[in-house]
Amino acid sequence: MLNPSAFKILLVEDNPGDARLTRALLSEVEGARFDFTHVECLGSALEAVERQSFDVVLLDLSLPDEHGLATVERLRNRAPRLPVVVLSGLNDETVAIEAVQSGAQDYLVKGQGSGELIMRALRYAIERKRGELLLLDAKEKAELANRAKSEFLANMSHELRTPLNAIIGFSEILKDEMLGPSGEPRYRAYAQDIHDSATHLLEVINDILDISKIETGKFEIREGVVAVPRVVDACVRLVQGRAAEAGVALTVEVSDELPPLRADERMVKQILLNLLSNAVKFTPKGGSVTVSAAVNDGALEIIVADTGIGIAEADIPKVMTPFFQVDSSFNKKFPGTGLGLPLANAMTELHGGTLRLQSTVSVGTTATVRFPAERLRRDRATPGVEGMRTPTPRDG
Ligand SMILES: Nc1ncnc2c1ncn2[C@@H]1O[C@H](COP(=O)(O)OP(=O)(O)O)[C@@H](O)[C@H]1O
Ligand SMILES: [Mg+2]
């Protein structure tokens, strides 16, 4: 495209003297040929770039029909891939610099310099624009690919969930011998295994579905009123068995006086469960895990602290990204997909809150979930929020 013997230049200049000078200077450049199209106002320039292609535009910033930065902007909107070299007068060089900052590739001060200098500016502008476009194209491709991946994940997880419902439902009937005894104890045990595996698989698929929804911006919170002590209790009960098996002490320090939290209960549970299961999973025998919740500076803080293996400082931002797991012997021993923390983080952020990890290797990790003060105020409830209604006799 860059053929120095035939530069196609669009010269946008209303002053005939300036236009003549530019052309004269360029004609002195040895070994180069120019194919000029000269127009005198922005309107004609906009038409010209529609009709034919140019290698570069030389653009005066004060034209009869437009002036200053808007000149560059309007041209760029019409021909976003076209390199632009701005022509400025001696007295408006600052505007020219601003033009370069806002998208032109270079500028020249009229009446200064030689044909060679102008030529160099043109070449440079073309190369700079080319580099810019390559980057832009690469970025667009990456974004497209990422969106395709998220959509694929969402569709796949949806398809996988449907048959799992049958597997879970029927294995439950078999393991509980709901339709009569199976007569062979191993059948019951196998049905239990099928049920456990399928339930685990469903959890993994739900995580993947959630993360892909978050990435495509389709995740929404369903606000209600959450009694935090009750949710903490429910989550603790779910990991108690695992903690006992692993020889990890589990302590709860939650006051019953906590104000109700305006939040999506499923998400609060998921956040807490993800943090708790990590704390239990990454704490060796003899260690402890403590869950506490309190109002701090008006905000509600739920803290899960463990005395486990810890996370190196450099890994803390990484564990918040999907699918990342620190490479440790612990990770090899336990199942996991690397989605727990990114999900907990995203769900907290959907509530306007923050999730912070503090950790020291071999000492332990503290995860702090902070819900903003406005989520504790009753008066800010959105209309129709479940649980906020005054109970009527019909509600029982
Ligand atoms: N409490 C913790 N102590 C030590 N390491 C942790 C802790 N929580 C998370 N990690 C590290 O962060 C990684 C990502 O955690 P998570 O997103 O929950 O995924 P998963 O638990 O499925 O591996 C874990 O694999 C582990 O390496
Ligand atoms: Mg986890």
Side-chain angles (χ1 to χ4, degrees), residues 16-36:
D18 286 342
R20 227 174 304 128
L21 180 62
T22 306
R23 295 178 70 149
L25 284 172
L26 276 172
S27 70
E28 285 165 12
V29 178
E30 265 179 55
R33 254 191 333 108
F34 299 96
D35 177 356
F36 276 105

Side-chain angles (χ1 to χ4, degrees), residues 278-279 281-282 306 309-311 319 324-326 331 336-342 365:
N278 281 348
K281 182 158 81 170
F282 297 107
D306 66 56
I309 60 172
I311 307 169
V319 296
F324 183 88
Q325 297 177 305
V326 178
N331 266 339
T337 49
L339 289 176
L341 286 176
T365 303

Side-chain angles (χ1 to χ4, degrees), residues 327-339:
D327 191 18
S328 73
S329 56
F330 258 85
N331 266 339
K332 293 189 188 86
K333 262 189 274 174
F334 296 98
T337 49
L339 289 176

Side-chain angles (χ1 to χ4, degrees), residues 210 214 218-223 226 231 235 263-274 343-344 346-351 369 371:
D210 284 349
I214 286 167
K218 288 184 191 143
F219 213 53
E220 279 166 14
I221 61 177
R222 295 167 63 162
E223 259 176 31
V226 180
V231 170
C235 293
D264 184 322
E265 179 154 335
R266 182 181 90 85
M267 289 195 202
V268 179
K269 270 190 185 147
Q270 187 78 63
I271 294 166
L272 198 57
L273 202 57
N274 290 2
L343 276 176
M347 289 176 180
T348 309
E349 283 178 356
L350 279 174
H351 286 84
V369 183
F371 291 102

Side-chain angles (χ1 to χ4, degrees), residues 61 67-69 86 88 91-101:
L61 281 189
H67 193 82
L69 288 183
V86 161
S88 84
N91 52 346
D92 56 4
E93 200 173 334
T94 41
V95 181
I97 293 170
E98 274 170 37
V100 170
Q101 284 163 351

Side-chain angles (χ1 to χ4, degrees), residues 158-387:
H158 189 77
E159 289 301 316
L160 290 171
R161 252 188 346 179
T162 315
L164 263 184
N165 286 331
I167 297 173
I168 291 172
F170 291 127
S171 61
E172 192 162 351
I173 292 178
L174 295 178
K175 84 179 167 63
D176 295 341
E177 298 180 318
M178 286 181 194
L179 304 177
S182 59
E184 163 63 61
R186 275 177 298 177
Y187 285 152
R188 263 186 81 147
Y190 296 159
Q192 179 76 55
D193 283 349
I194 295 172
H195 188 261
D196 290 350
S197 305
T199 309
H200 174 67
L201 194 53
L202 183 62
E203 278 166 21
V204 172
I205 290 169
N206 280 339
D207 281 357
I208 294 177
L209 189 61
D210 284 349
I211 208 90
S212 52
K213 271 195 203 148
I214 286 167
E215 284 182 353
T216 49
K218 288 184 191 143
F219 213 53
E220 279 166 14
I221 61 177
R222 295 167 63 162
E223 259 176 31
V225 173
V226 180
V228 176
R230 187 171 44 78
V231 170
V232 171
D233 248 29
C235 293
V236 165
R237 235 175 295 130
L238 281 174
V239 296
Q240 222 155 28
R242 245 179 291 160
E245 255 172 57
V248 173
L250 196 52
T251 321
V252 184
E253 290 168 6
V254 178
S255 144
D256 285 334
E257 308 285 281
L258 284 183
L261 176 70
R262 205 158 43 77
D264 184 322
E265 179 154 335
R266 182 181 90 85
M267 289 195 202
V268 179
K269 270 190 185 147
Q270 187 78 63
I271 294 166
L272 198 57
L273 202 57
N274 290 2
L275 296 179
L276 266 173
S277 62
N278 281 348
V280 170
K281 182 158 81 170
F282 297 107
T283 301
K285 199 176 167 151
S288 66
V289 171
T290 310
V291 197
S292 57
V295 176
N296 191 350
D297 279 344
L300 178 75
E301 283 187 346
I302 305 178
I303 299 173
V304 178
D306 66 56
T307 61
I309 60 172
I311 307 169
E313 200 175 331
D315 284 333
I316 288 184
K318 296 186 198 163
V319 296
M320 291 290 202
T321 60
F323 305 111
F324 183 88
Q325 297 177 305
V326 178
D327 191 18
S328 73
S329 56
F330 258 85
N331 266 339
K332 293 189 188 86
K333 262 189 274 174
F334 296 98
T337 49
L339 289 176
L341 286 176
L343 276 176
N345 188 41
M347 289 176 180
T348 309
E349 283 178 356
L350 279 174
H351 286 84
T354 53
L355 167 59
R356 201 181 39 164
L357 288 181
Q358 289 161 297
S359 192
T360 309
V361 171
S362 304
V363 175
T365 303
T366 300
T368 306
V369 183
R370 199 177 153 92
F371 291 102
E374 70 203 36
R375 296 216 156 263
L376 296 178
R377 279 202 290 271
R378 282 167 184 281
D379 50 319
R380 293 284 308 273
T382 34
V385 164
E386 176 197 339

